[in-house]
Amino acid sequence: MTSVGNELPIAAAPTGLDGGGRSLARGSLVVALGLGITGAGTLLMLAIVDYKLPGKNAQAAFNVWWVVTTLLILPFGVFEAYLARLTVAERAAGRDPAPVIGTLLGRTLMVAAGISVGALCAGPWLTSTQFNHDVGLTLLLPLWVVVVATQAAQRGAATGLTRFPAIAVQLGTDGVLRVAITAAIAFSGQATPDRLALGTCVAAAAGVVAGGLACPEWYVRPRLHAAGVEWAPVLLLLAGSVCPVLASSGPVPWLRAAGHVDSTTIVVFSAAVTISRIPTQFVSAAFGPLLSHLTHAAETGDRATFRRLSRIANLGAAVLGAAFVAVFAVVGVWFLPRYTNTPHGYLGVGTLALLALASALMFIAVVQQAGLAAMARWTAIAASWGIGLVSMVVVLALPISSLHRAAAAPAAAILTALLLMSVVSLRAASSPAQPS
């Protein structure tokens, strides 16, 4: 870290960060383009699965596998953000970021290996309760985890190096191939959940290759130690990252394991969760450049820019969130049955509004977390999400229907975390030692 305590050292600006809105907008639009392709690819992939994979049990198995993979890869967003921040800080101080990139890549892969081993140890339970006894889906989890971990490290390095087109190339390649491979398998008449899952792994790996060609500087030989790269922020962020991903996707395997809901409802609910969360991923990636700019503003003591960018991003996130809740709640009732090839009536407007509200709140939480990360407030981020996780558990224990609990728990968790992060941000902004 280049900052010590609450002090904000002054340093030269790295290339590509002018501290202004135009640079942030350009970077956000480029990343948003790539993520838009990936999001569309996910929608088309799941639609193909729901129409071409025979049997609701098989469809539910693949849909739940997709959600479980989201849960397993939750730590890597932390490494992506931390790597981006450290890379910007090193460049702002005029130092070579290669040692930082290599160290974070090594630690990312180490965590990926640990998660892979854990997934294999949980294999018998996952296979029997979540994946409809499809062993292949369980065996593919380690491959997916390692590939997506590499994707996250590549995006983090590219963000820190302000090579945003490389991120768009990675995401776009993954999204296009995700659809192409799924369609080829499905329309060949040989579709099975594990073959489709393997296709998604291949598409993700191709995204890494394409992103590397667009930004070859991202790859540095992996290592586990470098001067100034601390473990504590990573561990705090890892602890805090459990809540947002569990809050976003955890209700699906929770419903599946509870055994109170039929396979058709699982298919519709998991599709609703996935669709409602795609804009969250979109906003997260689109605001990736925001972290670079806020970090540079914090590192150089440019308090006016820090506040201005935070205010603009918060307003944009709030407007997008409000619009998304209204559209998803109304259109979703009509769209979901057609998308999943199921009858009407499985999910009502209220359930869809709650799922959309969770995503809308996450839009703003992404901005708040970026600001706190730029100021290296790692403990505050972890504590906020940790308390949010407690709120989710409380809602899941309420004496109401399982479906209503699964829909309400994410919104409660994210709202709790958002309020706490907002309080910390306001206090930090009012402190003379913080950006103003």
Side-chain angles (χ1 to χ4, degrees):
M1 300 284 201
T2 57
S3 57
V4 179
N6 290 327
E7 297 300 319
L8 298 175
I10 305 299
T15 303
L17 290 178
D18 58 15
R22 288 193 302 273
S23 177
L24 173 59
R26 286 195 301 269
S28 297
L29 287 174
V30 169
V31 175
L33 174 62
L35 191 66
I37 296 173
T38 304
T42 298
L43 289 176
L44 290 172
M45 176 192 72
L46 293 177
I48 293 170
V49 168
D50 290 337
Y51 273 88
K52 300 299 293 185
L53 197 59
K56 291 301 177 187
N57 284 333
Q59 294 171 18
F62 181 85
N63 278 273
V64 173
W65 181 84
W66 185 250
V67 173
V68 168
T69 60
T70 303
L71 297 175
L72 290 179
I73 63 176
L74 63 90
F76 305 123
V78 170
F79 282 97
E80 178 180 344
Y82 190 43
L83 174 54
R85 190 201 184 283
L86 289 184
T87 302
V88 171
E90 291 296 289
R91 298 177 67 212
R95 293 189 291 265
D96 181 9
V100 165
I101 295 173
T103 301
L104 266 296
L105 176 58
R107 293 180 182 179
T108 301
L109 294 176
M110 183 181 71
V111 172
I115 292 174
S116 298
V117 171
L120 291 177
C121 290
W125 178 82
L126 288 169
T127 302
S128 60
T129 66
Q130 303 292 320
F131 301 154
N132 196 34
H133 304 286
D134 190 330
V135 178
L137 290 177
T138 300
L139 295 178
L140 284 169
L141 289 176
L143 175 60
W144 174 263
V145 168
V146 171
V147 171
V148 174
T150 307
Q151 279 192 337
Q154 186 180 78
R155 290 195 301 269
T159 298
L161 296 169
T162 64
R163 298 292 297 276
F164 302 122
I167 302 175
V169 169
Q170 182 209 92
L171 295 170
T173 301
D174 187 355
V176 170
L177 290 182
R178 185 176 297 174
V179 176
I181 294 174
T182 300
I185 295 172
F187 288 99
S188 69
Q190 303 297 317
T192 60
D194 53 352
R195 289 175 181 171
L196 293 169
L198 177 60
T200 63
C201 294
V202 172
V208 173
V209 173
L213 293 174
C215 180
E217 307 95 311
W218 87 273
Y219 181 78
V220 179
R221 182 179 60 81
R223 60 177 76 178
L224 294 179
H225 177 74
V229 182
E230 303 173 4
W231 264 110
V234 174
L235 295 176
L236 287 169
L237 283 174
L238 283 175
S241 70
V242 171
C243 179
V245 180
L246 282 178
S248 295
S249 303
V252 175
W254 179 80
L255 274 180
R256 180 77 164 173
H260 303 314
V261 180
D262 60 90
S263 293
T264 302
T265 301
I266 291 292
V267 169
V268 178
F269 186 78
S270 62
V273 169
T274 299
I275 295 171
S276 68
R277 301 304 180 245
I278 285 177
T280 300
Q281 299 168 355
F282 183 86
V283 170
S284 296
F287 280 136
L290 176 67
L291 177 59
S292 294
H293 286 73
L294 289 177
T295 298
H296 179 258
E299 291 290 329
T300 59
D302 189 351
R303 303 176 181 186
T305 295
F306 189 98
R307 282 190 169 180
R308 183 176 68 254
L309 293 180
S310 296
R311 183 172 59 251
I312 293 172
N314 276 302
L315 177 61
V319 171
L320 286 174
F324 177 67
V325 172
V327 171
F328 188 77
V330 176
V331 177
V333 175
W334 170 86
F335 175 74
L336 276 171
R338 290 165 174 79
Y339 179 74
T340 58
N341 193 26
T342 56
H344 288 265
Y346 279 92
L347 298 181
V349 172
T351 300
L352 296 178
L354 282 172
L355 293 176
L357 177 61
S359 294
L361 293 171
M362 187 68 85
F363 294 174
I364 308 172
V366 166
V367 178
Q368 291 295 322
Q369 182 163 317
L372 292 177
M375 294 184 288
R377 295 297 188 95
W378 313 114
T379 302
I381 295 172
S384 297
W385 284 118
I387 297 172
L389 179 60
V390 173
S391 298
M392 183 183 75
V393 173
V394 170
V395 172
L396 289 177
L398 292 176
I400 57 178
S401 74
S402 298
L403 192 61
H404 289 156
R405 280 182 280 171
I414 297 169
L415 176 60
T416 301
L418 172 60
L419 291 175
L420 291 172
M421 286 193 291
S422 298
V423 170
V424 176
S425 295
L426 288 174
R427 292 182 63 183
S430 63
S431 170
Q434 298 299 334
S436 60

